[in-house]
Amino acid sequence: MGKTIAVLPPVSASRPADAVVFMDENGIVIFVNAAAEHVWGLSGTAMVGRDARSIFPEALRFDPARRWSAEDIVGADRQVVIARPDGSKAFALVHVVQIRHAGTSGYAAVVQALPDPAGAAEQMSILSLVAEKTDRGVVVTDARRRIVYTNRAFQEMLGYAGGEADGRALEDLLATGRGAADLAARIDAGITRQVPFPEDVPLRGASGNEVWVSTIITPVLNQATGALEHVVAVLADITHTRLMEDLQRQVLAALAADAPARDILDLLCRKVEELAPGVLCSILGVTADDLLTVLAAPSLPAGFSAAVEGLPIGPECGSCGTSAFRGEAVLVEDIAQSPLWRDFQHLLLPPGIKGCWSIPAKLRSGKVAATFAFYFPGPPFAAPWLESVVSVCSDLCALVLERSDTRNRIATLASIDTLTGLPNRRRLIESLSDLITAAGERNEPLAVLILDVDHFKDVNDTLGHSTGDALLVEMARRLKAQLRPGDAVGRTGGDEFVVLVHNCAAEEAARIARRLIDYLAAPIPAQKLHLTMSASVGIALFPQHGTSAETLLKHADTALYEAKRKDRGRFQFFTDDLNKRVEDRLVLSVALRAALQSHALRLVYQPQVTLSGVTLSGGRLSGGALHGVEALARWSDPVHGAVPAPRFIALAEEYGFIESIDQWAVEEACRQMAVWRAEGVPVPHVSVNLSPLSFRSAEIVGIIGDALKRHRLSPGDLRVEITERVTMDQNPNAFATARAIDALGVRIAMDDFGTGYSSLSALSRLPIAELKIDRSFMLSIEHDKNALALATAVIVIGQSLGMAVVAEGVETTAQADLLRDLGCHAIQGYVFARPLEAADVAGWLVANTPPAGS
């Protein structure tokens, strides 16, 4: 029989619990399963071999006088009652199919047990009771999706009377609008799949209102045929949940759109009032000094909001002031009788409002930033779902205020100097623009003063940045103390301050500048010292020197630069001449940068001659060995002509590309030295001047080393000249860079010695091999005892430290004789030669070298 079962169509291989009876073509039972034994209450042995008509009831309605035939019952479903030997009955659904195997025919009956009708009725009664008592809506449709049943909860949910929805198509309940067709198609597809599925659905109530429900939709199939018989949907009202989600989305969207906080809070109040008819909302902020301020109260009387504005929070300050004071929710069900409202009974509220529930909105720091209040008609206070509204609203309110607080902090940080608390440059420009507008309307003058603390860098470098910061804070305090009402002071960076003085002409501006300079110069305690700092001031006036904030600041800065250039600790008014000079410097700096990039700079070389062997012949000096040559930068511009080296070197330092010139000079001097070596021109060494700024990093050391290696020169072929400014530079890399250059074998000469402020201790710490007496001493060395004494001191210092001493700017034989008598090693100047082009050096050497043996 196992093979016979194998040929059954899929429909007959039903559920494992179904009873199965197999019969031959004559209707004789040939096999039964255990489920069949249970249904009939007989053993398989008692059933096999019997005529099927003896065990199946007459309800199958076939003729006992003849054999079973397909025409009788095959393919039909029959509900029957089977009598058991013990007198009990079994209710069943019988489906008979014809089978064929190995050329023979037979039948199979699939018997599905059904519940007792009485028990089924009781079960249906219980299910109906559950459906009517549950708070979930239940709707049942037939196979055509027409409603055949709705429970009480469904009717209340959508506002239908009992049976009013019967006969309507399920799709008709869907709310119309965008996406309705897609939703209907999605539900239809889910039913077609014949498995339960969830869906959030907007339904249209009896009055046309929209009700959102969360539903589980279950297709109910015929147990025998698998065909759809019913659709059952169980619904939960989520309208308030959806409304709250919509509220959250709108608030978050407004936050993302950077809407003002007050607008967002007003939206929040209005939306909550839509959710809870009869409830009025307000949001009161709490200021830094613990005062209430109305942020949103769209439905409360203006007089009420005005009376609340500025009230201090406290233990009996209405619902909101008390909630803010306590940091917890406060519920007052009867405002008229509450002690918290005793002092505020005069405040007018809308008619019908009896109570107030206030909830604090806290920032992440825990500070109460605001209170969210619900004013309601009377106790008991509304529905339980409002508790979730309260939670959501307080969170949203806190989020909005947190964002607003963060934005305010960012705006504050963006507009003030964090060290001194003064307005920064951006804020000052805004303030100056406002002052200019007001001054123009009133036809009043206006002064802009820029102050710069003289030698402030020395304080940072010697006493540390913390002392420098303390000094700036004190300077800011002093400046603020000197302001008149309506004036402003700010810090624009570093040690620079700006003072804006309204209704101030030139004479008054000069008095103010002098007073500020004197006041700032008062000693300031710092690390057991009393620092006396001077300040330089540049002044620009409105409208003489400009009518815009940027122009006035630029011109005041130009005047400041001139004040510092002339003499620190003074003030300077802007003039057109100053502006012209600034513009000229800028134009010249652009041309200089272009000249450097196009290799338009060149080097000339001035010989340095040793004084031993020098003789006077025909009023001219002759003889003496070549000590070396100094490379001097020259620039001749097509527009500006020959520009003096001191001028363009200072420009390069001011505009930040002096290091590029230094690197070019090292490379060019080494290249020329290699040419002389190849041509046999006996130049002992070439000296190159380097700016102190190049000593602030070790990069110049690599530049020098690479140039020597590339041109195959020895370290003795190059000499580096520095000024005393290197010893004054507090940058920690300056001395280290000098030592690194010395470690390469390149000797260092100190140029212009005696004109600066270097100390002998600094000189002893630097690897100096040569001192150069500045040309300024030569102007009066023959007749000025002081100049002679200083030159003598420099030569003695050099000799004492084992250094060569070279005098610059020697123009007369008398100066040369005097220097030789003092023991000066070498001289450089017009007395021997002016600076030479590189190609002329060899000829000069031939002309000035004594004949062999002379």
Side-chain angles (χ1 to χ4, degrees), residues 555-576:
H555 288 170
D557 193 59
T558 299
L560 171 66
Y561 179 86
E562 184 68 10
K564 296 179 79 70
R565 188 186 70 82
K566 285 183 176 179
D567 189 13
R568 298 171 190 268
R570 57 171 292 160
F571 63 87
Q572 172 73 50
F573 280 95
F574 172 80
T575 65
D576 291 335

Side-chain angles (χ1 to χ4, degrees), residues 1 84 118 148 173 203 254 278 307 321 330 411 536-537 597 699 778:
M1 289 307 299
R84 295 190 178 104
V148 296
L173 296 182
L203 299 181
V330 171
S536 301
V537 181
Q597 293 172 346
E699 185 178 0
M778 297 304 106

Side-chain angles (χ1 to χ4, degrees), residues 62 69 96 188 204 221 345 355 383 638 780 784 795 817:
F62 58 87
S69 67
V96 180
D188 187 67
R204 187 172 63 254
L221 309 179
Q345 295 295 332
S780 55
D784 187 334
I795 293 171
D817 283 341

Side-chain angles (χ1 to χ4, degrees), residues 56-121:
F56 282 100
E58 294 182 0
L60 287 175
R61 296 193 299 274
F62 58 87
D63 185 356
R66 58 187 179 87
R67 294 186 311 157
W68 271 14
S69 67
E71 294 80 10
D72 292 318
I73 58 173
V74 170
D77 292 326
R78 299 286 191 271
Q79 291 189 15
V80 298
V81 180
I82 300 173
R84 295 190 178 104
D86 62 1
S88 64
K89 296 178 180 180
F91 300 87
L93 181 71
V94 179
H95 182 80
V96 180
V97 295
Q98 191 171 20
I99 59 175
R100 290 182 176 79
H101 178 64
T104 61
S105 297
Y107 301 93
V110 179
V111 182
Q112 181 181 356
L114 296 176
D116 185 326

